[in-house]
Every structure is written in structure tokens, then in C-alpha cells.
Amino acid sequence: MVLVIAEQRDGVLNNASWEALVAAQQMGRPVRVAVAGGDPGAVAAELAAADVESVLAVGHPELESYTPDGFVAAFAAVVADAAPDLVFLAHTYQTREFAPRLAARLGRSLVADCVGTRPRDGRLAFVRPMFQGKFVADVAPTGPAPHFVSFQIGAFRPDALKRGASPAPVREFAVTLEPGAIRQSAEAPFQEAKQAVDLTQAERIVAVGRGIKGQEHLSLVESLATALGAEVAASRPICDSGWLPMDRQIGSSGQTVAPKLYLALGISGAIQHLVGMKGSRTIVAVNKDAEAPIFEVADYGIVGDLFDVVPAIIAALDA
Amino acid sequence: MKIAVCVKQVVTREWPLRVDEARTWVQDRDASFEMNEPDAYALEEALRLKEGHGGEVVVCSAGPPRAAQVVREALARGADRAIRVEGDGLAAADASMVAGALAAAIRDEGFDLVLTGLQSDDQGFAQTGVVLAELLGIPHATIIMEVQAADGRLRVKRELEGGWFQWVSMPTPALLTIQSGINQLRYATLKGIMAAKRKEVRVVEAAADLAPGQEILEIRVPEKTKQTRMIDGSPADAAAELVKALREEARAI
Ligand SMILES: Cc1cc2nc3c(=O)[nH]c(=O)nc-3n(C[C@H](O)[C@H](O)[C@H](O)COP(=O)(O)OP(=O)(O)OC[C@H]3O[C@@H](n4cnc5c(N)ncnc54)[C@H](O)[C@@H]3O)c2cc1C
Ligand SMILES: Nc1ncnc2c1ncn2[C@@H]1O[C@H](COP(=O)(O)O)[C@@H](O)[C@H]1O
């Protein structure tokens, strides 16, 4: 059996949970889903629409707001009770925080951030990126079940979900939490002050990465942006270094954009960057490494030194 | 505050990596190495906490003998001493093994705070710190962008998806995984490099009973999923061709 751990906040399911469910349905084994919260009944009922054996509503007042201690304790009890072969989760920030500890508590390990499954010689293996997306690896969990696997967001299509003919049974799963078991206390999530620049409205974006080497070279990128009538954006390290303000950052912890034209200059194409821009209509990549993962999402690619290529593009636009 | 910082030695970003003959790891024998990027931010955060609260910063690294390089670098940047867990098998080990090796080496030190990076640039498990917290039996929080410490408690700012954040409090001892960009890095000075030579480095053998929880069967270059038109030629020719394509084909400018 595959146990899927779904994620919700304030009664709203995380969409990525449907993707983990699709991954589970494709294993050809019975699927059970569990979701935790203060009173997760409504979310559990929503999950019951999927073609699954049953849904567990793991409710407890202490689980109303997520904490790693609370979720590890609760799901350790759920997994021990359900005794699944596999435990699937979406690789969200919340999963990254509690799932490795949950697996470790049960003496197991988590195969994280997988993009697919791949049986090999009778062994179950999962495909996961390594070296910032330059390679992928087939990784097999070792030791006895259950094996824990998390899937990268977007690796499975939520619309491939099989729905049940009638709603699956929902069961309440009672957890006991020792007093003092939860050491973290969480405040309400918040957003920083409104972004000064709204890149989502830009028609064209020239984005720069660490290939630019130094802040003093940014004027080159700005000249190209001006010539194209584009906004300047960046990968995270450029903003981390303070070379450009944070509100110019594209990616999972920055803005998500889909302009008509996205030029990526000296950006390697790590998944956290790609999720913020791969919906762009036309993507151009300039990178001196012919194997940089950015070329996998690019429509046009130039392998070369951006310090040669960018001035040449500016000149060609002028001609 | 007695602070441990876990740093991993990884292949330099710019190194042209190839898969090795067994197809289960990369050819890294002649590679150049550096400190995993978020770990540099974790070290900087530890140094700042020590400056504010007093105490000690101990850098911890697990790996083959070559990992001594990142330990020296951390000492040159200001860490007070080091614990290096040595084992050839640790270079490509999974997070359970590395966390097990680190836990055995630091358990008796009684650190108030353990900092790690949020993720390694090579294996990218995003797990070693979290598993280490479980093995040490201390609370943890991940992807941290600010740390406030007072009276045996921490209040930390956690990054969530899509520009959201959250403050979380917990007692010490605790473990935090640090996100890149939490602070501005300082670099080693000549004085620091000289001082590092006299700092204590405790080298311990990796525990013998570490068991992996997962195995790499094969590493390969990912299959291409999109038709990319690669434009070659001199920079001038390629640029002219690109501009033409963007105007006439893609109609993007
Ligand atoms: C939880 C989490 C959230 C994250 N959120 C984000 C996010 O929102 N946005 C984001 O961007 N990243 C994010 N990251 C970081 C991400 O994983 C990568 O580390 C980052 O995107 C790499 O930036 P880069 O491509 O600029 O740098 P590198 O990976 O260092 O790539 C530099 C590239 O420039 C090329 N290059 C070098 N010199 C030249 C030259 N002269 N000419 C042409 N090319 C050259 C190199 O070949 C290389 O491909 C996040 C990471 C984590 C773990
Ligand atoms: N071999 C190691 N030695 C010391 N610290 C490590 C090692 N491997 C991982 N870490 C720490 O754990 C963090 C997460 O690594 P990973 O789980 O590999 O993504 C890194 O940023 C380091 O701080």
C-alpha cells in the first residue's frame, strides 16, 4: 500500500498534494491518504473524491498550526498503524522540514525531490536531480519498508488524477501528543511589504545570474534591457549578494513570471529558478557551459561568454 | 553560546563534471573544491551570534581527507576550532550516514546551537541537518532567514514558498538550517589565515556502524524535453541570427 501525506493550510489543500496522489496511483497498489490539522474533516472529504482506498483525517488541536515536532509525532503514529510499503509526499517546504525527521524516527531515509519512478531489475528506483540539475540519478531505497519518497512540484500532472466512482471512506485517526512534545511555537505566516517592482506585468525580461561575475558589470545587462524595452531580473545569488534588490528575484522564493520574452544570461537553470520562468513564451539562454540545464527549457540557445555575446546582441538590435 | 556549524566540501560550481566509469558518481579526483554555499552563510551567522552573545564557534565537517580544505577556510574566516570526521565513504554518502557520522562526533560537546546549510550543491538532499536534529534529540527549524537569540530561546524567521515567511520560537539546544542570503558574507583576511594555523582540529574516524538508507544505481545527463535551437557562430553572427529569429520567428521583439 502507498500512504500519501497530503498538506493543507487553513483548510486549503496544497495543489502539489494531488500530484503526489497521481504518483501513488501510478504505482498500481492500493492508495491511502492522510491529512493532518486542527479539524481536517473538510479537506479529508475533498481528498475522498480521488480513487483511493480510504482517507485518514488526523485531527488534534495541537496540529492546527504546523510544527515539525507535532507533525513528526502524529505521522509516526499514522505510518506505524498503516504499515505501508511506500510513503509519498510532495516536496514542499513543509515536507522538507518534517519528512526527513519522520523517516529518521522510524529508522528509514527519504528519497527526496524525485521527478519520476523507474523500476530497475526488479528494484524500485526513483529519479532525482543531482548537482543542481546537471545530472539525474536513479536512486533505490535500501532496507525494509516503508520507504519514504518526495516528488518535485510539477513532476506529475494533477489532471491525471483518477477519481473514484463514489467518495472514498473517511476515517478519523486519533493521535495522542505528550505534553511538551511540541517544542516549536509558530506565529502566523506573513508577506514582506508589497514588492516595489511587479515583474509579472513585464512583456520582456532580461535576467542575469552569477555568470555576470561582479556588480560592476550589471550596466551591460541594463543596456541590453533598455535596447529591448525589457525589465532587469536576476537569479537568487545576485540578490543575496545585494547586487540587485530582492524584488527582482525570479524563482520559487521570488516572483513567478511568464513574459513574451525571457533572456537568461549566465544562469545555470536550477529547478528553483526554472519554476519561476519556464512558462515564458520565448526563452533565450546565453551560457558558456553547453550542458547547463537552462538550455533544457530554452527555445534559443547561444553557448558563449556573455561578455562577448551581450554587446553583440545590443549591436545587432541597433543595426 | 556554544555553536556548531556543519560545512560540506563540494566540487566548485564551475568545474566541468563528467559521470565516472561505474556511472554511480562523478569524476572528481582532479576537481577543485569549495565550501557548500549555504554553509558559508551558516558560518557567517554563527560568527555574528558569537559576536553578539559570546561563546564559541566550532566548524564540523564529514568527508574524505581533502575536506580539510574547507575546515581551514572556516577557521580562517573566524571559527574557533574544528571537528573533522574522516571517512572515504563519506564523500558520496547519503544524508542518514552523514548525519550519523556527525552526530557521533558532536553528541558529547553539548552545543547550544547547531547550524547547517539548507541543502548541498552536489547531492541536494536537504536533509542532513534535519536528521542530525533527530539523532541529537533537539528541536529544529529549516530555511531560516533571521535568528534572534535571548534567554535560552530562539526566535527565527522561516522562509515559506512564494514570498511568505513565518516566525517560529523554540528553546535551545536547537538546530537550524540556514538559507543563502541571510547575511552578507565576510571573507578570510591574511591575519585570519595565519591565525587558523594554530587552531585546534580534532580528527575522528567515522563510526563503523553507519548504514545507508538509499543507493545510487546510475547517474546520467537528463534527457532533453524541449526542442532548443542552438545558434552557433561568432558572437556577432550568433547575435544577428538570434535577433532575426526573435523578430521574424518568435515575434518577441
Ligand atoms: C529553497 C531554495 C529556494 C531557492 N529559491 C531560488 C529562487 O527563487 N531563484 C533562484 O534563482 N534561485 C533560487 N535558489 C537557488 C538555486 O538553487 C540556484 O543556486 C541558483 O538559481 C543559481 O543561480 P545562478 O544560475 O545565477 O548561479 P550558478 O548556478 O552559479 O550558475 C552560473 C552560470 O553562469 C554560467 N557562466 C559563468 N560565466 C559565464 C560567462 N562569462 N558567460 C556566460 N555564462 C557564464 C555558468 O556556466 C553557470 O551555468 C533556491 C534554492 C533553494 C534551496
Ligand atoms: N559531509 C558533510 N559534512 C558536514 N556537513 C554536511 C555534510 N553533508 C551535509 N552537511 C550539512 O547539511 C546541509 C544539507 O546537506 P544535504 O542534506 O546534503 O542537502 C549542508 O548544507 C551542510 O551544512
Side-chain angles (χ1 to χ4, degrees):
Chain A
M1 185 247 294
V2 190
L3 176 73
V4 175
I5 297 180
E7 181 176 323
Q8 60 96 19
R9 190 166 103 198
D10 298 333
V12 181
L13 258 181
N14 188 322
N15 252 326
S17 296
W18 296 114
E19 300 177 17
L21 253 171
V22 169
Q25 287 181 333
Q26 294 183 359
M27 298 306 294
R29 310 176 191 198
V31 177
R32 198 178 290 178
V33 199
V35 63
D39 179 13
V43 187
E46 202 184 323
L47 286 162
D51 183 14
V52 293
E53 173 223 76
S54 62
V55 182
L56 300 180
V58 187
H60 191 289
E62 297 273 1
L63 300 175
E64 173 70 39
S65 70
Y66 157 80
T67 56
D69 276 348
F71 273 49
V72 169
F75 283 115
V78 171
V79 172
D81 179 75
D85 310 308
L86 292 162
V87 180
F88 280 9
L89 307 99
H91 191 66
T92 61
Y93 278 34
Q94 185 168 305
T95 291
R96 294 169 61 115
E97 185 163 76
F98 82 88
R101 188 164 190 153
L102 169 63
R105 179 148 315 167
L106 300 167
R108 301 294 187 277
S109 89
L110 166 74
V111 184
D113 199 21
C114 297
V115 294
T117 56
R118 190 161 161 134
R120 286 177 63 117
D121 313 325
R123 274 178 94 176
L124 192 53
F126 299 90
V127 187
R128 64 181 301 271
M130 293 216 338
F131 291 90
Q132 305 256 310
K134 277 199 160 191
F135 300 110
V136 291
D138 293 342
V139 176
T142 55
H147 297 132
F148 290 75
V149 186
S150 69
F151 291 95
Q152 193 173 94
I153 296 167
F156 290 84
R157 297 175 54 103
D159 56 13
L161 183 84
K162 277 189 277 175
R163 296 181 164 272
S166 56
V170 176
R171 280 200 292 125
E172 281 179 22
F173 186 94
V175 277
T176 34
L177 295 166
E178 307 287 326
I182 301 181
R183 293 163 291 185
Q184 300 93 352
S185 66
E187 297 170 36
F190 65 95
Q191 276 184 301
E192 301 279 63
K194 194 93 194 94
Q195 312 261 347
V197 204
D198 183 8
L199 294 173
T200 61
Q201 300 304 314
E203 281 211 352
R204 298 179 199 85
I205 290 176
V206 174
V208 59
R210 211 189 321 239
I212 195 72
K213 301 280 182 326
Q215 188 171 22
E216 66 278 17
H217 303 306
L218 281 177
S219 54
L220 179 62
V221 177
E222 277 151 14
S223 308
L224 177 58
T226 308
L228 282 167
E231 288 282 351
V232 173
S235 66
R236 179 161 185 141
I238 300 300
C239 303
D240 283 348
S241 309
W243 297 353
L244 280 175
M246 285 292 260
D247 51 16
R248 301 245 164 213
Q249 180 179 313
I250 304 295
S252 62
S253 48
Q255 301 199 43
T256 299
V257 295
K260 250 163 68 175
L261 177 65
Y262 191 91
L263 248 99
L265 308 172
I267 292 178
S268 62
I271 182 66
Q272 295 88 2
H273 188 80
L274 299 186
V275 296
M277 47 67 73
K278 66 180 180 200
S280 306
R281 207 177 76 199
T282 301
I283 298 172
V284 178
V286 179
N287 196 301
K288 66 175 187 189
D289 176 5
E291 282 160 25
I294 189 75
F295 287 121
E296 296 189 16
V297 301
D299 299 283
Y300 300 99
I302 298 181
V303 177
D305 189 327
L306 73 90
F307 292 101
D308 299 329
V309 177
V310 172
I313 301 176
I314 296 171
L317 284 166
D318 244 4
Chain B
M1 224 187 326
K2 191 171 167 184
I3 309 172
V5 185
C6 299
V7 305
K8 183 179 194 183
Q9 188 196 39
V10 296
V11 173
T12 327
R13 280 166 182 276
E14 304 262 305
W15 189 261
L17 277 174
R18 293 282 169 272
V19 174
D20 71 4
E21 247 160 55
R23 305 184 64 76
T24 52
W25 193 241
V26 291
Q27 297 176 17
D28 59 7
R29 195 140 32 104
D30 305 314
S32 63
F33 293 91
E34 63 187 356
M35 189 184 298
N36 185 48
E37 182 164 56
D39 307 1
Y41 286 97
L43 171 63
E44 177 64 39
E45 198 59 26
L47 295 172
R48 288 176 188 218
L49 285 166
K50 179 191 156 183
E51 281 157 12
H53 302 271
E56 180 185 37
V57 174
V58 182
V59 58
C60 306
S61 190
R66 59 168 159 77
Q69 171 237 339
V70 289
V71 165
R72 257 195 318 274
E73 190 184 324
L75 293 173
R77 287 192 195 192
D80 297 296
R81 62 184 170 95
I83 300 172
R84 196 160 67 71
V85 189
E86 198 169 278
D88 285 328
L90 292 172
D94 71 3
S96 320
M97 284 185 77
V98 174
L102 290 168
I106 72 172
R107 191 182 305 278
D108 296 337
E109 289 268 357
F111 288 110
D112 301 306
L113 181 60
V114 181
L115 299 184
T116 72
L118 82 164
Q119 182 164 332
S120 58
D121 281 350
D122 51 5
Q123 300 243 46
F125 296 123
Q127 296 190 49
T128 305
V130 179
V131 177
L132 180 57
E134 171 68 11
L135 298 179
L136 295 174
I138 59 178
H140 80 282
T142 57
I143 322 196
I144 299 307
M145 284 298 280
E146 194 175 331
V147 181
Q148 300 170 352
D151 310 322
R153 282 191 76 80
L154 299 170
R155 184 166 176 263
V156 299
K157 186 176 162 193
R158 240 188 108 207
E159 182 180 301
L160 308 176
E161 282 109 337
W164 288 78
F165 297 90
Q166 175 178 44
W167 286 97
V168 180
S169 306
M170 74 199 85
T172 57
L175 183 143
L176 304 174
T177 82
I178 301 294
Q179 168 68 297
S180 293
I182 184 175
N183 49 40
Q184 291 296 317
L185 299 177
R186 80 188 73 184
Y187 291 95
T189 58
L190 189 60
K191 199 166 143 240
I193 294 169
M194 299 308 292
K197 297 191 172 135
R198 293 185 301 277
K199 289 178 177 170
E200 178 199 322
V201 179
R202 178 158 69 86
V203 181
V204 294
E205 286 288 309
D209 59 347
L210 301 170
Q214 47 193 275
E215 183 192 349
I216 297 175
L217 304 181
E218 187 193 26
I219 296 183
R220 61 182 177 277
V221 175
E223 295 95 49
K224 272 206 172 302
T225 50
K226 193 163 175 178
Q227 282 287 345
T228 305
R229 189 171 143 207
M230 298 305 281
I231 304 177
D232 354 277
S234 70
D237 290 350
E241 185 62 32
L242 174 69
V243 169
K244 185 161 175 268
L246 291 180
R247 283 197 175 123
E248 294 168 14
E249 219 173 75
R251 298 182 184 282
I253 52 176

